Amino acid sequence: MAVPYIAYRHNQELKVGKVIRDQKGKLLVADPNGRTESLKAAAVIARFSGSSDPDEGRELALRIKREAQDVEVALLWEIMVDGTGEFDGEQAAEEYFGAASAVQIAAATKALLEDQLHFRRKGAAFLARTRAEVDDLLLRDRREAERAAREERVLAFLEGVLSRKPVKGEISDEIEGALGRVEAYMFRDQSPEAEQWLTRLGGRRPPREVGLEVLERLGRLHRNVDPQLLLYGIVAEFSETVTGHADALPAFSAVEEQVDRSDFRRLAVFSIDDESTEEVDDALSWEPLPDGGCEVGIHIADPSVFVAKDDCVDRVAAERALTLYLATCTVTMLPPRIGCDLASLNHAVDRPSISVLARFSESGELRDYAVERGRLRVAQRFSYEDVDTRLGEPEAQSDDAMAEPLRCLSQLADSLRRQRLAAGALLFSRPEISVKVRDDRISIARIEPDTPARRLVSEFMILANRLVAEFALARDIPIIYRTQPAPAEPVEPPAVYDPVLFDRCVRKLRPTRFSTHPQPHSSLGLDVYTQISSPLRRFNDLAIHRQLAACLNRADQPYSVVELIEVLGRAEVAERANKRIEREVANFWLLEALRRDWLGKSLPATVVDPVGNTVLAELDDFLVRGLLQGGGRHRAGAHITVRVADVQPRRKTMLLQPV
């Protein structure tokens, strides 16, 4: 018995198959490759007879394909365009071929299905587009072809720039326009088209890295432009609206503010910071008490006086969330007029504060504390080096009025640290490499984290943060807490920095996180902890200042718990991003300094744990790591001498060879 073959429509495609079963208007069909599918009888375009030989089905499909290729669709459209209305493949075949065969009906249907210009589908039927519609589509296709050709020319030019081919002659208007779009993407985060070009050209490289290379090689970067900001898409400048608002703010006046503040101007308030610090968040004071104890004032800048919740400055500060410290510049959270001037605890000017007053007994025991809004005047500004010198040479400072306050504060700081250690605190002492770039000159300084001055400041900031957390908890003030679960296994940080031991210990720690619920902070050895000590550079701290100020003023809380969750969500994202950017930028300039001055030279290094089939070594003087090549096997922690063989700062790689 002859096997019926059919041509049928399936997902806007014409297919050929043989009918295996035809029952109640539903067919089971097998295509020439033996794959089966079910369909309704209404999908059948034409029927054919034949044998069960699958080659016959393939031959039928080829005949229909060849016939469809011979159909001049434009001529068919001219026949059908005027007043035909809806039609099917059979009607189209009869108009085109005359008395049409089943193969011609299937071929006409196949041609109609594959056409994207002259006909459109309406259910199972077809409609001829109007002449105006076809003209519009032809214009669209022509423009798309022109756009694609233009894009290929642009990509070819950019590819030539990246491969260091010289640019011959003047740049055409077309290429100039394309470079303008690249600049719009790099400088203003506009032009998705340019981002697509750079993504295609870069492969695995980030598009901003490719765009920066293009602009550098074409000499289109002004000397004052910071390439690192372009690389990470960071906008350092504030808008004219924000800058104008900040510039119009008057200086702090306690009288005009009409807020009840304690007057701390009688105290010898002093700040301790790096010499280059412009956002001075904190200051200290020390005063003896009649019973032999003392009162320590931990005074924190109060920018909430100048930045109202939801004003234009507040919105941009919330978006930035943190000040970003790069080797080439500092991108402040607040406009400099506020963060570095009006609210900063600068020398010899009246400033608002939120102050924590901690009272200690003669034996150094914390007896009680208070949190107050205040006004103060910093009488003296110290650098960390100044304080270390004074603490290291007490005899030479006997006539210095600050000698006793600094000595007593240092002793109290040591006592506070011992108490935290006894409560389970973990102290990680890793030197910090400070990298500064000015006028293309790279300066590198090694900062020891545990000097007496840095220990003094650190302990009193930790104390202030802890006491404010207790203050808020006791009064049910919604704030953001900083928490950290205890590690799953014991951790013993090395007393002296060792990269291998340091890494092993850090890997055991659980991450810190923000929460609106008080929980312990294991590494600090505290039951409850927050952060209020850097409101000029951390939006979290500024938000908590507002909560404290409202409580002290007996006003409604400006933030609900839900709003605080939104704040901490942004803070967590910004903190991770900032740490990554700061680390990568510092590492880039460290590698660049090594490329300029240390290629081929020998340096001491420590072998760290192998990563896969590679071994990394950390340069002892720079705390930066590179791939150790050859020279046999080395155990982790081995101290060796290496030669700097090759450095590629942009690729974040350094090759070292054992000496």
Side-chain angles (χ1 to χ4, degrees), residues 143-196:
R143 287 175 174 170
E144 177 59 28
E146 291 172 354
R147 187 204 64 77
R150 185 171 60 251
E151 181 175 278
E152 290 306 314
R153 290 192 295 271
V154 169
L155 289 171
F157 174 84
L158 296 177
E159 192 169 14
V161 172
L162 293 171
S163 60
R164 299 181 182 274
K165 292 180 181 177
V167 178
K168 298 179 180 179
E170 293 185 3
I171 293 178
S172 68
D173 291 343
E174 179 180 88
I175 297 300
E176 188 64 41
L179 293 174
R181 287 191 284 279
V182 171
E183 290 172 342
Y185 167 66
M186 294 297 294
F187 286 95
R188 298 184 296 279
D189 203 21
Q190 297 173 357
S191 185
E193 184 181 23
E195 183 178 12
Q196 291 173 5

Side-chain angles (χ1 to χ4, degrees), residues 35 507 546:
R35 291 187 292 268
R507 282 195 289 267
R546 290 184 175 134

Side-chain angles (χ1 to χ4, degrees), residues 22-303:
D22 185 349
Q23 187 176 20
K24 296 181 180 180
K26 289 186 178 181
L27 290 77
L28 182 65
V29 180
D31 68 15
N33 295 318
R35 291 187 292 268
T36 61
E37 57 185 321
S38 61
L39 60 134
K40 294 180 180 178
V44 176
I45 302 299
R47 293 179 180 268
F48 312 88
S49 62
S51 68
S52 59
D53 186 351
D55 288 338
E56 189 166 344
R58 295 190 185 94
E59 177 60 30
L60 177 61
L62 286 173
R63 285 173 56 203
I64 294 171
K65 181 179 179 180
R66 286 194 294 266
E67 194 78 37
Q69 289 171 343
D70 290 337
V71 174
E72 295 184 29
V73 178
L75 176 59
L76 177 60
W77 173 72
E78 288 287 356
I79 296 170
M80 309 297 291
V81 67
D82 295 318
T84 55
E86 297 179 14
F87 58 90
D88 59 18
E90 182 175 357
Q91 291 170 289
E94 289 173 351
E95 291 287 344
Y96 187 82
F97 295 107
S101 66
V103 169
Q104 290 171 326
I105 292 171
T109 304
K110 180 176 177 64
L112 289 168
L113 287 170
E114 292 175 352
D115 175 72
Q116 301 295 317
L117 175 62
H118 299 88
F119 301 95
R120 58 188 174 89
R121 267 68 70 192
K122 187 176 180 182
F126 297 91
L127 278 172
R129 298 187 192 274
T130 66
R131 296 183 186 277
E133 288 175 329
V134 171
D135 288 343
D136 287 343
L137 289 173
L138 286 171
L139 179 61
R140 182 202 65 184
D141 291 346
R142 186 165 60 250
R143 287 175 174 170
E144 177 59 28
E146 291 172 354
R147 187 204 64 77
R150 185 171 60 251
E151 181 175 278
E152 290 306 314
R153 290 192 295 271
V154 169
L155 289 171
F157 174 84
L158 296 177
E159 192 169 14
V161 172
L162 293 171
S163 60
R164 299 181 182 274
K165 292 180 181 177
V167 178
K168 298 179 180 179
E170 293 185 3
I171 293 178
S172 68
D173 291 343
E174 179 180 88
I175 297 300
E176 188 64 41
L179 293 174
R181 287 191 284 279
V182 171
E183 290 172 342
Y185 167 66
M186 294 297 294
F187 286 95
R188 298 184 296 279
D189 203 21
Q190 297 173 357
S191 185
E193 184 181 23
E195 183 178 12
Q196 291 173 5
W197 297 340
L198 300 173
T199 300
R200 282 184 60 182
L201 290 168
R204 294 184 178 181
R205 294 172 65 194
R208 284 192 163 276
E209 185 178 310
V210 180
L212 179 60
E213 185 176 343
V214 167
L215 297 180
E216 284 180 332
R217 292 193 174 172
L218 289 172
R220 296 177 73 98
L221 287 184
H222 190 276
R223 66 186 303 271
N224 293 328
V225 170
D226 188 338
Q228 300 293 340
L229 298 184
L230 290 185
L231 188 62
Y232 291 98
I234 298 166
V235 178
E237 296 78 16
F238 293 88
S239 69
E240 292 183 4
T241 300
V242 171
T243 302
H245 177 90
D247 289 345
L249 292 170
F252 168 69
S253 169
V255 176
E256 294 177 4
E257 188 190 21
Q258 296 181 343
V259 170
D260 185 21
R261 289 184 178 273
S262 301
D263 192 344
F264 299 122
R265 290 176 295 178
R266 61 182 177 78
L267 299 174
V269 178
F270 60 93
S271 62
I272 306 175
D273 267 299
D274 290 313
E275 289 186 357
S276 60
T277 298
E278 294 183 314
E279 300 166 293
V280 183
D281 285 292
D282 56 84
L284 297 168
S285 63
W286 175 88
E287 186 177 29
L289 297 176
D291 62 1
C294 65
E295 181 178 88
V296 177
I298 309 163
H299 308 282
I300 310 299
D302 187 7

